Amino acid sequence: MRTNRSIRSIRSIRSIRSLRTPGGLSLRLDVRAVAVVALLLLAALTASVVLIGTGDFPIPAADVLKTLLGDGNAGQEFIVNELRLPRVLVGLLVGASLGLGGALFQAISRNPLGSPDVLGLGQGATAGALVMIVLFSGSATQVTLGALAGGLATGFAIYLLAWKRGVHGYRLVLVGIGVSAIVTAVNGYLLTVSDIIDAARAVVWMTGSLDGRDWEQVWPLLGLCAVLVPLVLANARGLRMMEMGDDVSYALGVRVERVRLLLMIAAVLLTATATAAAGPVSFVALTAPQLARRLTRSPGPNLLPSLCMGAALLVTADWVSQRTFGAGQLPVGVVTGVLGGVYLLWLLVTERKAGRI
């Protein structure tokens, strides 16, 4: 196993290039990671164009591009710009938010299972949504706000319970699993006391879906990503140093607890907002960082590749859902759950064959 790690480290070092500007500034560039990000962006955009053209009224990809550039007819402009484009943008933003949030949690906890799915943030957001649906028969906006509040409250509770002279990965995962079990029990109770109409509405929301999403969901997600993504990337160096341990990070000048708290708040906000917009879409936050790391073959959190992988995964899953079962027939959360489960089984088999488990 040490030999394999050494080989991967050597390959990663070989793919890194140093660029120098005339002013004397130097920049380290991982060529493979840049290529992976470019390919993932291309895949996400291609899947988005194809997805926009998919539906009861199919539109060729060329016509979709012309319509997006303002050269379509009135019917195509209404279908593309008003009906399908907002749904696709929500899918891209939700996938990107979950991919980045999952990468942050896995890096902070130093555990590949330290994702929002396992730590209970999705269940917390679900609890907030169920409270609004079951107890108050809330509107769609109220359900969204309830989910956001539930996710933020759960993240805050996990951080406080895991705190003991700092937050460490092992304790964070254990506390998250415990909180997840408690919140899941609360969700089950809320479903049992609800009437049949509210229960059906709640189950549909809990599956995770992009149906009916419009520009009202796009703008909050876009604004949050515009603020948090640059903030997270600006602290990527500190996060990478923290993977060597707190003592080493302190010695290198990283303010560990400040960076950890800041990035945890960002991860909770990204995950809670994505869940509020589309429901608890499973396995994207867990799978996207792992797939991105395998493609880049690079150590560290791989934040930008994880973001792009999450976006590509979600829009591709939505296209598979619509292409196979038709629009509105199968929520995208079901597809991501199946794909994520298959990936985990494959990972388990390969790790066992390699003798790592």
Side-chain angles (χ1 to χ4, degrees), residues 20-345:
R20 291 187 178 275
T21 65
L25 296 176
S26 62
L27 175 66
R28 296 179 65 201
L29 187 66
D30 190 331
V31 178
R32 184 182 180 92
V34 172
V36 168
V37 168
L39 289 176
L40 288 174
L41 282 175
L42 179 62
L45 293 176
T46 301
S48 299
V49 172
V50 175
L51 181 57
I52 291 174
T54 303
D56 295 333
F57 185 81
I59 303 174
D63 291 340
V64 170
L65 290 174
K66 286 197 293 186
T67 304
L68 291 174
L69 295 174
D71 197 23
N73 58 47
Q76 290 175 341
E77 287 184 358
F78 175 75
I79 293 173
V80 170
N81 295 328
E82 298 299 326
L83 298 182
R84 297 179 183 174
L85 180 59
R87 174 189 175 123
V88 172
L89 289 177
V90 170
L92 287 171
L93 292 169
V94 167
S97 299
L98 291 176
L100 182 57
L104 287 172
F105 273 114
Q106 290 178 21
I108 291 171
S109 64
R110 302 172 200 165
N111 191 320
L113 293 179
S115 77
D117 300 305
V118 177
L119 296 180
L121 292 178
Q123 290 83 348
T126 300
L130 287 179
V131 168
M132 300 307 299
I133 293 173
V134 174
L135 301 182
F136 300 102
S137 297
S139 63
T141 301
Q142 291 171 330
V143 171
T144 300
L145 293 175
L148 180 60
L152 293 175
T154 304
F156 184 68
I158 292 172
Y159 187 84
L160 287 182
L161 292 173
W163 174 269
K164 185 180 179 181
R165 294 190 297 273
V167 174
H168 300 282
Y170 184 71
R171 189 163 59 243
L172 181 69
V173 173
L174 287 180
V175 170
I177 292 174
V179 171
S180 176
I182 295 172
V183 178
T184 299
V186 172
N187 293 342
Y189 171 76
L190 289 173
L191 284 175
T192 59
V193 299
S194 63
D195 59 50
I196 187 64
I197 296 176
D198 287 339
R201 181 185 173 197
V203 169
V204 170
W205 189 91
M206 290 170 61
T207 306
S209 175
L210 296 175
D211 290 342
R213 299 308 185 264
D214 55 26
W215 291 104
E216 290 184 2
Q217 283 83 34
V218 172
W219 300 122
L221 275 169
L222 185 61
L224 187 77
C225 288
V227 173
L228 291 183
V229 171
L231 178 65
V232 168
L233 295 180
N235 287 274
R237 180 181 176 276
L239 182 62
R240 186 164 184 168
M241 294 295 180
M242 286 163 54
E243 291 189 341
M244 296 186 293
D246 289 1
D247 293 337
V248 175
S249 301
Y250 277 121
L252 293 174
V254 178
R255 302 171 71 177
V256 175
E257 286 306 324
R258 178 179 176 273
V259 173
R260 182 180 287 131
L261 177 60
L262 179 65
L263 293 180
M264 277 199 66
I265 291 174
V268 170
L269 282 172
L270 287 166
T271 304
T273 306
T275 305
V281 180
S282 59
F283 277 112
V284 174
L286 178 65
T287 307
Q290 299 299 317
L291 291 175
R293 187 173 292 111
R294 286 178 175 273
L295 289 177
T296 61
R297 298 179 185 175
S298 174
N302 287 281
L303 297 179
L304 198 55
S306 299
L307 181 151
C308 298
M309 176 62 76
L313 276 178
L314 194 53
V315 293
T316 303
D318 194 30
W319 176 79
V320 170
S321 172
Q322 291 196 41
R323 187 72 176 177
T324 307
F325 298 94
Q329 297 298 316
L330 186 70
V332 69
V334 176
V335 179
T336 59
V338 172
L339 295 177
V342 170
Y343 168 75
L344 287 180
L345 290 175

